[in-house]
Amino acid sequence: MSFDLCQVKKAEKPYYIESIGIHIYTIEELCFYLYENIYLIDQTIINEALCDWLRDELGLKKLYRQLYEQLEKQEGIAYFVLPIFREIGYLSPEKMRQMQEKLGKLEVQPEDMRQKLKGDYLVKCGMYSNAMHEYEQILNRRGPGNLGAQFYAEIWNNLGCAYARMFLFEDAADCFLKGYRQAGTKELLRRYVSVLPLYLSDEEYRKKIKEVGADSQLVARIQEYNSKICRNLSQTEGNPEISREEAKQMIGRIREDYCRSAKC
C-alpha cells in the first residue's frame, strides 16, 4: 500500500512505516500520513532512519539537519513534525495551528492514554492485530495508581472486541470477563455472556454463566436482549438467496480482511 500524491521528488527506496504497513515515496505522502494519522505518530516516524531517508532519498539536507537536531533536543513531537509540513507549505496557517494544538494535547496525555488512542485508531483502520499489541502493552506495564480500574477495564473491553473481530471468541470472552471482574460494568458482562455461545456447547455455556456469579435475572435480561436483536435483524434482512459466485466473492473479502488485520 502507498499513497500517490507525487508532485515533488520521488524516492527510489521508499520509507516503510511499520505501525500501519505502508511505503511512502515523497515528502507529500509523508505529510499526508502525518496529518491523517496523528495517533500513529510514534518511534516508527520520529527516528534517525526517517531523517536519513529525507536526506539520502529526497535530498532534503536542511530538513535533515533540523529534524536530527530535534531528536537530540527531545523537545516534543510537534517540534519534529511541524517542520516537515513547513518544508513544502503543506498546511495553511490555520490548519498548522490546529495541528500544533492537537499534538500539544496528545503529548500531555499519560503514556497509557496515548497508546490507547493509537490502539483505538488501529481498530478503526481494521488493523486488529496491531491494535491488540498496543492494548496488551498497556496491560502488561500497568502499575498501581495509574489511570484507575475503569480505564483498564475499558482496555480489556477493547482488546476483547479486537479478538472478536478476528473470530477468536474464546480469547475475547476471557478479556470481557477480566474487564468485568475489574470494573463490574453491565456492558462487559453483556459482552461476555453474548460471546460464550459462539464457541461453547449449551452445557459448557450454562457452567460458565454459573461460574461468573452474576445475578441470574440480569443474565436472563441480557439473553432476552440479544434474542430481540437477532429477531430484529432477521426481520430486517430476511433470508435472501445469493449465488455461488456472490458467496465466493463474500468469502474472499472476509479472507482478505482477516489477512490484512492479522498481517498474513
Side-chain angles (χ1 to χ4, degrees):
M1 175 181 177
S2 63
F3 301 117
D4 188 15
L5 299 172
C6 303
Q7 295 180 11
V8 292
K9 184 176 179 180
K10 185 174 181 178
E12 289 185 12
K13 297 179 181 178
Y15 184 80
Y16 180 67
I17 301 176
E18 185 179 354
S19 60
I20 201 170
I22 64 167
H23 292 91
I24 56 173
Y25 289 84
T26 71
I27 189 171
E28 280 196 344
E29 292 174 1
L30 176 59
C31 288
F32 179 85
Y33 172 83
L34 293 172
Y35 186 73
E36 296 294 333
N37 301 283
I38 187 170
Y39 297 122
L40 301 185
I41 299 175
D42 57 16
Q43 298 310 309
T44 62
I45 282 289
I46 304 176
N47 57 40
E48 293 182 15
L50 180 70
C51 297
D52 293 343
W53 179 78
L54 288 167
R55 178 196 61 193
D56 299 339
E57 291 295 324
L58 301 184
L60 299 171
K61 295 179 181 179
K62 183 178 177 182
L63 180 60
Y64 158 80
R65 288 192 295 270
Q66 189 176 0
L67 298 184
Y68 204 95
E69 185 178 324
Q70 289 305 323
L71 283 179
E72 293 179 339
K73 289 182 177 180
Q74 296 184 340
E75 291 180 318
I77 298 173
Y79 289 94
F80 188 90
V81 170
L82 296 180
I84 299 173
F85 292 123
R86 293 193 188 101
E87 181 68 22
I88 58 170
Y90 187 81
L91 298 177
S92 67
E94 177 60 20
K95 286 191 174 181
M96 181 71 85
R97 183 189 64 79
Q98 292 172 0
M99 186 68 175
Q100 188 168 6
E101 285 183 3
K102 288 179 182 178
L103 289 170
K105 289 177 181 177
L106 187 61
E107 282 194 277
V108 298
Q109 296 287 345
E111 183 181 6
D112 284 356
M113 177 60 77
R114 291 200 305 271
Q115 196 157 10
K116 176 189 177 296
L117 292 170
K118 181 180 179 182
D120 295 347
Y121 185 80
L122 288 166
V123 167
K124 253 192 209 180
C125 295
M127 305 196 71
Y128 307 124
S129 181
N130 298 45
M132 286 155 56
H133 175 70
E134 301 298 328
Y135 295 141
E136 285 166 352
Q137 281 192 332
I138 295 171
L139 293 168
N140 288 339
R141 70 163 174 261
R142 178 192 173 183
N146 280 6
L147 290 172
Q150 191 62 46
F151 174 83
Y152 294 100
E154 188 175 348
I155 300 298
W156 280 118
N157 172 73
N158 293 4
L159 179 58
C161 290
Y163 272 121
R165 293 189 184 192
M166 294 181 70
F167 310 106
L168 300 171
F169 300 120
E170 188 170 0
D171 291 316
D174 183 57
C175 291
F176 294 143
L177 180 59
K178 286 177 178 175
Y180 171 68
R181 285 178 171 164
Q182 186 164 324
T185 60
K186 290 182 181 179
E187 180 58 23
L188 277 162
L189 177 61
R190 184 189 72 78
R191 294 189 175 186
Y192 176 69
V193 171
S194 301
V195 80
L196 290 178
L198 299 178
Y199 72 97
L200 292 178
S201 66
D202 288 344
E203 183 180 347
E204 291 171 327
Y205 171 76
R206 287 191 294 270
K207 183 179 177 182
K208 289 288 186 183
I209 292 299
K210 186 176 180 180
E211 287 175 357
V212 79
D215 179 76
S216 58
Q217 291 183 347
L218 176 58
V219 172
R221 287 199 297 272
I222 291 171
Q223 291 169 331
E224 175 56 31
Y225 175 77
N226 291 339
S227 297
K228 184 178 179 181
I229 290 176
C230 291
R231 288 196 299 270
N232 289 341
L233 285 173
S234 179
Q235 291 170 4
T236 302
E237 296 177 0
N239 187 28
E241 293 185 2
I242 61 174
S243 67
R244 183 183 295 270
E245 184 59 32
E246 288 173 325
K248 185 178 179 181
Q249 291 174 359
M250 185 183 301
I251 292 169
R253 288 194 297 270
I254 292 172
R255 185 185 295 114
E256 287 174 5
D257 288 344
Y258 178 84
C259 286
R260 178 173 177 269
S261 67
K263 282 190 168 182
C264 288

